[in-house]
Amino acid sequence: MKLFIDTADIAQIREAWSWGIIDGVTTNPTHIANSGKDFDSVLEEIFSIVDGPISVESVSTNAEGIIEEGRRIAAFHKNAVVKVPVMIEGLKAVKVLAKEGIKTNVTLCFSPLQAFLAAKCGATYISPFIHRLDLVGHDGGELIRQMRQIYDNYGFQTQILAASIRSPKQVLDSLLAGADVATMPFDMLRALYQHPLTEDGLQMFLDDWKRVPPSRLFTSKAGA
Ligand code: G3P
């Protein structure tokens, strides 16, 4: 499963990219607004850091406008993916953009039927919003399982991009349900590394090492 970072915070993107686990970035209008920077310069910075698919959201609500924005986003950089809301006008635009070879990420997906329609129109990615579903008493993991089954039943190539992830359990659910990609905030990526037994175990090894006589092998090594 690929991992994307879901933010437009440049410092966080730079740091997560340095860890070697990031395959791409997803943004949305909220992330761009929260970055405190103008749209063009924040995009330039993100594309200069990450060499992988980067989703940029269209903001028009009619197909004509979305298509025009989509073409501009695609022309901006070879790694650009056009994010489009799952609605009639959005999917009309996705169909046209797909025929032009422009990659799309259909967003705000909350049902397997929406995912089916997006795939029919040639979406590259479909983004089910897992945590927002869990918050209203539904089961985001079950949505991914149903989408996986529908796509596998009919051979759809659209990639399932689990989005709106706020807990490690939702990442595990995404992996087990067969999502192709999961996107999440910086803090969630960092949380995936953590386990209290790892921290306790490391501390014990470091404490015990103090009882070992000085070694020639480790003397004057970098980072000692
Ligand atoms: O990719 C989904 C993300 O942009 C929005 O999700 O629920 O974390 O705001 P959320």
Side-chain angles (χ1 to χ4, degrees), residues 6 26-28 31 83 129 131-132 163-166 183 185:
D6 189 41
T26 49
T27 67
N28 62 32
H31 292 327
K83 218 167 166 185
F129 275 33
H131 187 64
R132 293 194 197 186
S164 177
I165 284 183
R166 295 294 172 85
T183 190

Side-chain angles (χ1 to χ4, degrees), residues 179-191:
D180 299 289
V181 191
T183 190
M184 63 201 76
F186 178 82
D187 288 347
M188 187 49 47
L189 286 167
R190 189 169 46 192

Side-chain angles (χ1 to χ4, degrees), residues 50-149:
V50 174
D51 185 17
I54 296 168
S55 290
V56 180
E57 193 149 343
S58 59
V59 289
S60 285
T61 51
N62 58 68
E64 203 174 75
I66 296 169
I67 291 165
E68 178 56 29
E69 288 170 1
R71 287 176 181 149
R72 287 177 188 220
I73 291 168
F76 184 79
H77 197 281
K78 67 176 172 55
N79 287 337
V81 176
V82 184
K83 218 167 166 185
V84 180
V86 60
M87 56 186 184
I88 290 175
E89 290 299 304
L91 293 189
K92 278 162 65 179
V94 165
K95 187 146 193 176
V96 172
L97 294 171
K99 281 201 178 126
E100 295 178 11
I102 293 174
K103 293 193 169 121
T104 55
N105 173 359
V106 174
T107 189
L108 288 165
C109 173
F110 294 95
S111 91
L113 300 176
Q114 291 175 324
F116 163 57
L117 296 175
K120 270 187 87 68
C121 290
T124 314
Y125 300 96
I126 179 76
S127 289
F129 275 33
I130 305 309
H131 187 64
R132 293 194 197 186
L133 265 181
D134 288 350
L135 276 179
V136 294
H138 289 244
D139 183 346
E142 179 58 18
L143 171 60
I144 301 177
R145 279 187 286 281
Q146 291 180 351
M147 288 166 62
R148 180 77 280 153
Q149 185 171 341

Side-chain angles (χ1 to χ4, degrees), residues 140-195:
E142 179 58 18
L143 171 60
I144 301 177
R145 279 187 286 281
Q146 291 180 351
M147 288 166 62
R148 180 77 280 153
Q149 185 171 341
I150 291 166
Y151 285 5
D152 290 350
N153 283 351
Y154 296 97
F156 287 122
Q157 295 303 303
T158 301
Q159 295 181 52
I160 300 171
L161 196 172
S164 177
I165 284 183
R166 295 294 172 85
S167 76
K169 171 74 164 52
Q170 290 164 341
V171 180
L172 182 59
D173 283 348
S174 303
L175 281 160
L176 294 175
D180 299 289
V181 191
T183 190
M184 63 201 76
F186 178 82
D187 288 347
M188 187 49 47
L189 286 167
R190 189 169 46 192
L192 300 183
Y193 287 87
Q194 292 163 352
H195 194 288

